[in-house]
Amino acid sequence: MSLTQRLTITQPMRVFWLTWFGQLISLIGSGLTAFGVGAKIFLDTRSTTQFALLSFFAVAPMLVLSPLAGALVDRWDRRRAMLLADLGNGFSTLLIFGMVLASNRGLFEIEPWHFYLPVSIGSCFGAFRWPAFFATVSLLVPKQHLGRANAMAEVASGASQILSPIVAGALIEKVGLIGVLSVDVFSFSFAVITLLMVRFPRPIATAEGQRGKGSLKEEVKQGWTFIRARPGLLSLLAFTVVATLCMDLVMLLITPLVLAFTDISTLGIIASVAGAGALVGAVFMGVWGGPKNQLVGILGFQVLSGLVLFMAAPVPSVPLVATAAALYLFTMPPMLASSQSIWQRKIPADLQGRASAVKRMVLLSVPPVVALMAGPLADGLFEPAMAPGGALAGSMGRLLGVGPGRGIAVIFIVLGLLTLANVAVGWMNPRLRNLDRELPDALPDVPATSVDAAGNTVPNALPNATSAGASAS
């Protein structure tokens, strides 16, 4: 056995944990850059619109490329797809690093729009990461533990939200944005190393997954065809679109809401407290595993998130907003992990890249819309209406106060009401309510394959397993 084979990790759960840890470090680094660049743009311009445009360019290319990325993920070795994503994001970070360094040395004056192209490049490569990761989780983890495994992905996200603002705030004060970007360069390098150490099994071929094979155009279409033919999944997708709209608006507008009455260091503290809420929610879900009826868990935690939004509105108080943010993000990991588990259980493993990419494309269409509407809603409508003498100053102003940030507080109340209405409509839809009973699981109880040290796919012993394995790339 060669040295490379001896260093290669192939046991499924060990592969999952090492891959997860590499992506955790990468997410923390990406969070540093996102926080640092976003805060710089808002503080330089004091414009919600300019701040929101950065989010638009971070998401729009991923939206366009997702269907193609999903089809390619199902064709390729999924580990290589994740490597491509990490290397591409690293290249994007290096471009931003070069721009900031040149600006610090007085070679040119950096403007907000200078960040849009490198962020877009990183987004193009990022289209491959999550379809490949979540499609691989179902190959490594038994389906009865998918809720816990997906919760660990939310742990990574929560840890990033806790650590990134704290580290970014400290680095920006001491060594500026360059220090933030330097840590991000290390983080993506670490993620690449972990991916080089593992091998992913390829999924067992199924009749559904093989349909349309050979034609990239047909493979791109098949993910949508599969979802559209199953009303329960289509209803779950529609519910998630509305939930994502509310969540993205909250996540985008929390920065200008907080900076309207405090400074960036306090914003970092609030973001970290909120991240702690997400982390606790993810750990809680990882230990609990979720309810037997995962849809009930999704709707229940969504109700709680809607109620929590009312807490953030009454007064511009740091403790109140921090508590509301933590509780709000606490509800997200159980809801997202349960939803992701349903998708993984109901879709054949060799079709999950395409179906996951279509679902992701639909959901990624929400943030650009949010980014484009947040500025006009806040700067053009609600903030002027809640200014002294504004249209809402005599009504909502008596409850919430008037001045900077109070218009965004009104938006939070509207989003809370919309969240509760979305849950009510979802529960009244029988296709969504009975999804688990009406649509059978497409996955076996244990992963169908593993990988040996030479990189070959090896079928696991499965009761009643009838499908043949494929060789790993």
Side-chain angles (χ1 to χ4, degrees):
M1 183 182 294
S2 68
L3 176 61
T4 300
Q5 290 177 348
R6 287 199 299 269
L7 292 176
T8 299
I9 297 174
T10 59
Q11 201 278 334
M13 287 306 297
R14 291 182 181 179
V15 170
F16 168 77
W17 284 113
L18 185 58
T19 304
W20 171 83
F21 185 62
Q23 296 306 304
L24 165 66
I25 300 300
S26 182
L27 278 174
I28 292 173
S30 297
L32 293 177
T33 297
F35 183 90
V37 171
K40 174 179 174 55
I41 287 177
F42 186 80
L43 290 176
D44 286 351
T45 65
R46 291 290 172 177
S47 167
T48 302
T49 300
Q50 289 281 2
F51 176 75
L53 278 173
L54 183 70
S55 296
F56 174 82
F57 285 102
V59 173
M62 198 179 298
L63 166 64
V64 174
L65 289 177
S66 278
L68 177 62
L72 292 174
V73 161
D74 280 338
R75 283 187 169 199
W76 297 347
D77 176 357
R78 290 167 178 174
R79 179 183 68 99
R80 294 177 184 174
M82 292 183 66
L83 276 169
L84 178 66
D86 279 320
L87 290 171
N89 276 293
F91 177 68
S92 167
T93 300
L94 290 174
L95 286 178
I96 297 175
F97 186 95
M99 285 194 319
V100 174
L101 186 62
S103 176
N104 289 348
R105 293 183 176 180
L107 299 180
F108 78 107
E109 184 175 349
I110 200 166
E111 299 288 345
W113 63 267
H114 289 145
F115 293 103
Y116 298 158
L117 177 59
V119 165
S120 296
I121 292 173
S123 177
C124 290
F125 287 98
F128 294 89
R129 170 183 283 142
W130 294 118
F133 178 78
F134 283 116
T136 302
V137 167
S138 60
L139 300 176
L140 301 172
V141 179
K143 73 176 183 180
Q144 62 268 31
H145 297 308
L146 285 175
R148 292 184 172 90
N150 290 317
M152 293 312 298
E154 300 303 324
V155 167
S157 177
S160 171
Q161 291 173 2
I162 294 173
L163 297 176
S164 295
I166 295 175
V167 177
L171 288 175
I172 287 174
E173 289 184 358
K174 293 181 179 180
V175 292
L177 192 55
I178 284 292
V180 170
L181 295 169
S182 299
V183 176
D184 194 9
V185 170
F186 165 80
S187 75
F188 83 76
S189 301
F190 182 84
V192 167
I193 292 172
T194 60
L195 287 171
L196 291 174
M197 294 174 62
V198 300
R199 292 293 182 271
F200 292 169
R202 287 186 66 86
I204 294 294
T206 65
E208 193 73 48
Q210 294 302 303
R211 192 172 299 161
K213 280 288 186 179
S215 167
L216 188 58
K217 179 180 178 181
E218 290 302 315
E219 290 176 41
V220 168
K221 290 168 54 179
Q222 192 189 359
W224 170 246
T225 302
F226 182 90
I227 295 171
R228 187 179 60 184
R230 290 154 179 82
L233 289 179
L234 195 61
S235 298
L236 179 59
L237 183 58
F239 170 85
T240 309
V241 166
V242 179
T244 302
L245 174 71
C246 296
M247 182 175 64
D248 286 353
L249 272 170
V250 170
M251 300 302 291
L252 185 61
L253 293 176
I254 189 70
T255 293
L257 173 72
V258 172
L259 289 179
F261 64 88
T262 188
D263 55 26
I264 188 171
S265 61
T266 306
L267 171 63
I269 294 172
I270 291 176
S272 296
V273 171
L279 181 59
V280 171
V283 172
F284 168 73
M285 180 62 179
V287 174
W288 176 36
K292 184 175 181 180
N293 187 333
Q294 291 177 314
L295 185 66
V296 171
I298 293 171
L299 297 178
F301 280 103
Q302 187 71 359
V303 167
L304 180 58
S305 74
L307 295 175
V308 164
L309 286 178
F310 300 134
M311 288 181 56
V315 293
S317 161
V318 171
L320 186 63
V321 172
T323 301
L327 289 174
Y328 184 78
L329 289 189
F330 171 85
T331 68
M332 293 299 114
M335 186 187 75
L336 295 174
S338 296
S339 177
Q340 184 63 43
S341 298
I342 291 176
W343 286 94
Q344 288 167 326
R345 287 192 292 109
K346 303 301 181 182
I347 301 172
D350 59 339
L351 184 59
Q352 286 193 11
R354 281 161 282 175
S356 175
V358 169
K359 181 195 72 170
R360 187 167 174 77
M361 179 195 70
V362 173
L363 297 181
L364 283 175
S365 68
V366 177
V369 173
V370 167
L372 293 177
M373 68 186 290
L377 277 177
D379 296 339
L381 182 60
F382 284 98
E383 282 292 292
M386 290 294 285
L392 296 177
S395 53
M396 294 298 292
R398 293 182 177 180
L399 298 174
L400 307 178
V402 296
R406 295 296 83 201
I408 295 176
V410 176
I411 295 176
F412 274 36
I413 291 177
V414 173
L415 292 175
L417 294 172
L418 180 58
T419 298
L420 297 178
N422 186 39
V423 172
V425 171
W427 182 252
M428 290 187 293
N429 181 350
R431 299 285 74 78
L432 180 58
R433 191 172 63 248
N434 301 318
L435 170 61
D436 232 1
R437 290 205 308 265
E438 293 181 353
L439 187 61
D441 289 353
L443 294 181
D445 291 332
V446 297
T449 59
S450 57
V451 184
D452 64 20
N456 299 311
T457 296
V458 180
N460 288 334
L462 286 175
N464 301 321
T466 58
S467 300
S471 296
S473 296

